[in-house]
Every structure is written in C-alpha cells, then in structure tokens.
Amino acid sequence: LLAHNGQGPAVGFEMVPAKNSAILADFVAGKIAPEDLEARLDWGKTWGHPFARYLPVFLAARQWKLPAAGLNVPPDVIRRLSAAAMDNATASGSFDAPVAALSAEDRAQLPARIIEPAPEQLDFLREVMSGHPQGRNVGDSRQMARFLLIQSVWDSAMAERAVALRAATGRQVAVFAGTAHVEGGLGIARRI
C-alpha cells in the first residue's frame, strides 16, 4: 500500500544484521534468487523464526524495488556483549563496562550512542524478559541489567540505522521489528 502511493518507502529489518545490507540490496536488484536469499542471509543463525514467514515481505521489496537494509547488530556481537554484561555488571547498571570489554571490531558494530530505556518502559521490559528463556531470573539484578543493555543496543542500533537509511535514500522508512521494539513508541521511535 505504501509503495502504491508514489515512490514507496525504504525498508529496514530487525531480523537482518546491518552487515548483511548489501545482500538485501543485491536481492532487491535481482542479483540473488529468492530461493538463495535464506542461505545468503545465514537466516538460521541470525533469526529464530521460519524464513518462509518473511519471504513475502522481501519479495514485495523486490517487486517494488524498495531500498532495503538490515538494522540490527550481528547476533555473535550481541552474545559477546551479553557475556561481558554478566562479567562486568555494576551496581549502577552502567552500560560502559560491558561495552568497553568488547573488541574494537565488535564495538564498531554497536550504535554510536546507546540510549537507556525510558523509566515508563521498565515494567513492560520486565514483562518481556519474563517471556524469554532466562526470564525466570527477572529478579536477578545482573540478568535484568544485561537484558536492558541488550534491548537498548538493539533499539538504539535500529533507530540509528533507520535514520541513516532515510538519509541515504531520501525516503520514509518502514521498519519491520517486534512488539518490544515499538510498543508505546518507547523503543526504536523514542531513540530516533
């Protein structure tokens, strides 16, 4: 529907690491066959949901020749940041120590600025965490600090990259992201 109204938006995807944006551009340009996209994106390692559910969105971007980009931090960097958060937890919950513990290469894949959650989002994020496998530890301050850091990195990275996509294309950006990143405008939108 957005594509029918003129130029159409650029499309950003939570489920694709930013480092794979060139793959999406090649797909939209017709250089990668639809049956090869899943493997090229290394979908099984980067996203936990069936590729077939997302293929129609990728195909629509291709059909309408919409610029597309990955918005997220690679999962391997997130895993290392998560481990660093547990190893470097502070009483204040500061994000500085875990980020500093990463290699320069990993830090380069993080957003330039990690914006902490809004106070009014904390109860919602506790509820979200309780639905994750480690959710039974929602009362553990180190686990909660780790979860808030990772959520903030995701939201901040996706916001930063959505703004960059808009600047690069001059188009509005439609972002495909999960509920925890958009609920109440407190995730990605707040950080934009």
Side-chain angles (χ1 to χ4, degrees):
L1 193 58
L2 290 170
H4 280 285
N5 290 329
Q7 184 180 44
V11 186
F13 294 93
E14 170 192 4
M15 58 288 311
V16 178
K19 70 178 187 170
N20 289 346
S21 291
I23 296 168
L24 289 178
D26 284 349
F27 177 75
V28 168
K31 297 176 184 176
I32 297 173
E35 59 271 12
D36 296 333
L37 184 60
E38 180 177 8
R40 294 288 302 273
L41 291 174
D42 202 12
W43 191 266
K45 291 183 181 176
T46 60
W47 197 244
H49 302 282
F51 181 75
R53 292 183 184 164
Y54 296 84
L55 182 58
V57 179
F58 294 124
L59 290 171
R62 181 179 176 131
Q63 175 188 351
W64 293 98
K65 301 201 181 327
L66 302 176
L71 301 179
N72 223 329
V73 177
D76 54 328
V77 174
I78 291 296
R79 280 190 291 277
R80 288 189 289 274
L81 181 59
S82 181
M86 292 306 292
D87 292 343
N88 296 284
T90 64
S92 69
S94 169
F95 295 166
D96 297 336
V99 170
L102 295 178
S103 70
E105 182 181 346
D106 282 353
R107 286 194 307 273
Q109 298 200 53
L110 298 178
R113 181 172 169 223
I114 301 170
I115 302 169
E116 295 185 25
E120 61 270 25
Q121 188 184 24
L122 293 176
D123 287 340
F124 172 72
L125 290 176
R126 283 185 191 92
E127 183 180 320
V128 170
M129 183 182 169
S130 70
H132 283 89
Q134 69 275 21
R136 65 187 176 283
N137 298 323
V138 76
D140 179 336
S141 62
R142 286 180 31 193
Q143 285 283 359
M144 192 64 202
R146 180 204 57 79
F147 181 79
L148 294 177
L149 167 62
I150 300 305
Q151 189 76 22
S152 297
V153 165
W154 279 330
D155 287 342
S156 298
M158 289 189 282
E160 183 178 286
R161 291 173 181 143
V163 169
L165 183 58
R166 172 146 171 88
T169 64
R171 297 179 185 215
Q172 292 180 331
V173 177
V175 174
F176 283 86
T179 303
H181 303 292
V182 297
E183 188 75 27
L186 296 171
I188 297 169
R190 176 176 166 271
R191 286 160 174 95
I192 288 174

